[in-house]
Amino acid sequence: MAGAERALRTLAHNVRAARTRAGLTLDELGRRAKVSKGALVGLEKAQGNPNFATLVRLADTLGVSVSALLEGPAEGRVRVVTADAVAPLWTGAQGSEARLVLTTTGPAPTEVWCWALEPGEEYPSHPHQAGVVETVSVVSGRMALTVDGAEYIVEAGQTATFDGDAPHAYRGAGTGTCRLVMTVHLPPAAAT
């Protein structure tokens, strides 16, 4: 429980700091991100449990990466993280999950995600800000990637990339679990 409380306090601090840097009031951030003012007040007080879609909308609106909202200060020059060491930010009813493993630093950060998609389970993503590029590399299994209404099958050993500002979704399309590594490349304007 202490880890979850610490993570919520870090999130609260980072959201408040990013909102202040952006010069946004709670009302304005809520309007732009489509999040209620009450939820934002609770979040900045380290109360509540925001879902993954809310975190993505807040990050996009604030011009930062999702991990910039979640991570504490850097620990050192080299950071080694295993996917099992971070909690899933999304879990599906059938056992699918998405874990934000880390985000690189620099003028154009990249988020690194590990996903497991069960057969038939889908995660519909809301469009990101302009300039975001996603790359998905299927390690095992098979997935259906839908971008702007068109479906693409991506098999083990294949990689797909697309502009993340269009509606998109990921679905397990094989008979077993689809495991993939996703990178989300943020535009330089999103760096903080």
Side-chain angles (χ1 to χ4, degrees), residues 14-51:
N14 291 345
V15 168
R16 186 179 323 102
R19 179 179 62 78
T20 301
R21 277 192 310 274
L24 297 175
T25 64
L26 285 166
D27 287 322
E28 184 62 16
L29 176 58
R31 185 186 66 73
R32 291 183 187 183
K34 298 182 177 110
V35 175
S36 75
K37 181 179 178 181
L40 287 173
V41 168
L43 179 61
E44 288 193 4
K45 290 182 177 180
Q47 300 167 346
N49 186 18
N51 65 31

Side-chain angles (χ1 to χ4, degrees), residues 52 62 75 82 91 93 96 98 119 132 135 145 157 181:
F52 178 52
L62 292 167
E75 297 172 8
T82 61
T91 54
S96 297
V132 171
T135 302
L145 169 65
V181 175

